[in-house]
Every structure is written in C-alpha cells, then in structure tokens.
Amino acid sequence: MPFSLAIFDLDGTLVDSFPWFLRTINDVADRFGFRRVRDEDIEGLRHASTREILKQLEVPLWKLPAIARYARRLKGEAASEISLFAGAEAMLRTLAETGVQLALVTSDSEVNARQKLGASAALFQHFDCAASVFGKPAKFRRVIRRAGVTPDNVVSIGDEVRDIEAARAVGIACGAVSWGYAAPAALRALAPDYVFAQMDEIADAVGRMPATI
C-alpha cells in the first residue's frame, strides 16, 4: 500500500522563504546579539547541522524561543513576499486526491502557514505548528496519533538536516528536497529514504510502497 500520511515542512520545502531569510537574518542577529552571517558564510552553513549552525553563529540555546517568536512575527509581516514553489500546489492536490492525508509541521505559526499556503491550506488535515528547533519529533508523534496511522505508513518531507533527524527519531520514512535551506550533499550524507530533485517526484514516491525502516 502507499503511504497514508505525508508530513511536510513548510519553509524551504513548500514555500520559497530562503531569500527572505537572507535579507532578514542579520537584523535578527543584531537584535539578539549573535554573529552576523556574511555572504561567504552561507554555503558553509548550508552544509552544517542545526547544532553546528547554532555553534558557528554563537546563538545561546536559551535565546532560541525568543528568536523564534520574533522570526514568526517578521514572517507574518512579510507573508506576501513568500510564495509557494512552482508545482507545490499541484503536487499537494495530487496526493490529496489519491487519499493521502497531509500534515504540516513547521516552526512557523499556523496563521502564517495558512497565509503562505493560500488555497492549498484546505488540502491539509493536520497542522502542528510553532515547533521548537529540536521539537519536531514530538509533533510528528502527535500528528501520527491524530491521523490514526502506524509509523510504517508515514513519510516526512523536509529540506534540513533536522527534518531527517526528527524522522529517524520517530521511526518514519523521510524525504529530502534539494531546493531548500540545506545543501543537497549535506542531506544525502544522512541517507534519507528519498531525495527529490523536482517537486513532481514527491507525488510519485509517496504513492509507492513505503520504504523499509
């Protein structure tokens, strides 16, 4: 049987927010007192894990909740500048029409997420938002319980190292997209079950037999 539940990340996976991030990150750094990101730092950070990024930018863990709240507010103000990747709506609609439940687990707020998804938001049965930096495993488990499915019928799809790590922690299959925040090489190094080079590949993979976990 195909996967019965697909859990999606938002930023860098379904919506193109990386340009906004690059425009905004140094304002956030100045406000919260961590290292600014130079142009020459960007590619290295795209190859780093979340913990490595926090260490390199000298971000204290205790500041993360406040930084996240501030970033959500900024994203809300800039929602009109952040759009879906080409093909995302068609891919989501194809999955929904084939009976796959769709869930969104994101660090952004549900209000922001729905605004960025637009009409596509109606295709999702489950939203679990405002995830902390390392809080996705708990949210994955909660969404799986709500959906009434077993982990072997679930796949998560994201664009960062932490998305793969969260899926592994919960025991579900994972797919990594190559057009998001993390460099494709950094994602492939963790051997996700799927690596997607194009949006339309997602519907094909999710409609196949689940990978062996």
Side-chain angles (χ1 to χ4, degrees):
M1 61 181 292
F3 290 108
S4 54
L5 173 66
I7 305 175
F8 284 91
D9 173 55
L10 181 65
D11 289 295
T13 302
L14 297 176
V15 302
D16 187 10
S17 61
F18 194 52
W20 169 86
F21 170 81
L22 294 178
R23 292 194 303 270
T24 307
I25 184 61
N26 284 334
D27 291 338
V28 179
D30 292 344
R31 183 181 181 92
F32 289 95
F34 58 88
R35 275 191 52 212
R36 291 172 66 88
V37 176
R38 302 167 299 176
D39 289 346
E40 57 266 33
D41 296 331
I42 293 170
E43 192 58 27
L45 293 173
R46 294 187 69 230
H47 284 81
S49 70
T50 302
R51 286 182 172 81
E52 289 168 343
I53 292 170
L54 295 175
K55 183 177 180 180
Q56 289 178 39
L57 297 184
E58 300 174 2
V59 181
L61 293 180
W62 65 269
K63 287 188 178 182
L64 288 177
I67 293 171
R69 287 193 297 271
Y70 183 66
R72 287 180 203 122
R73 180 165 71 80
L74 294 181
K75 281 182 187 176
E77 294 170 355
S80 62
E81 305 171 27
I82 301 172
S83 58
L84 285 168
F85 282 109
E89 183 173 6
M91 177 273 295
L92 294 169
R93 192 168 299 281
T94 297
L95 291 178
E97 289 174 350
T98 56
V100 178
Q101 294 189 65
L102 302 182
L104 191 79
V105 173
T106 175
S107 59
D108 207 350
S109 69
E110 184 171 339
V111 170
N112 287 353
R114 287 182 177 276
Q115 186 171 358
K116 286 185 278 189
L117 287 169
S120 298
L123 300 172
F124 285 81
Q125 289 93 342
H126 311 282
F127 285 81
D128 209 326
C129 301
S132 65
V133 171
F134 301 110
K136 281 194 171 182
K139 290 187 176 290
F140 283 179
R141 292 188 183 97
R142 186 158 54 193
V143 165
I144 292 167
R145 287 197 300 272
R146 287 178 187 163
V149 299
T150 56
D152 58 330
N153 287 317
V154 181
V155 61
S156 74
I157 300 167
D159 69 306
E160 295 185 70
V161 167
R162 65 188 175 119
D163 295 318
I164 298 173
E165 292 173 340
R168 295 291 188 232
V170 177
I172 60 177
C174 59
V177 304
S178 61
W179 52 81
Y181 282 57
L187 300 170
R188 289 193 185 94
L190 294 183
D193 299 286
Y194 306 96
V195 178
F196 301 113
Q198 297 180 28
M199 189 68 71
D200 58 7
E201 294 174 355
I202 296 174
D204 291 338
V206 173
R208 293 203 308 261
M209 288 290 292
T212 302
I213 306 296

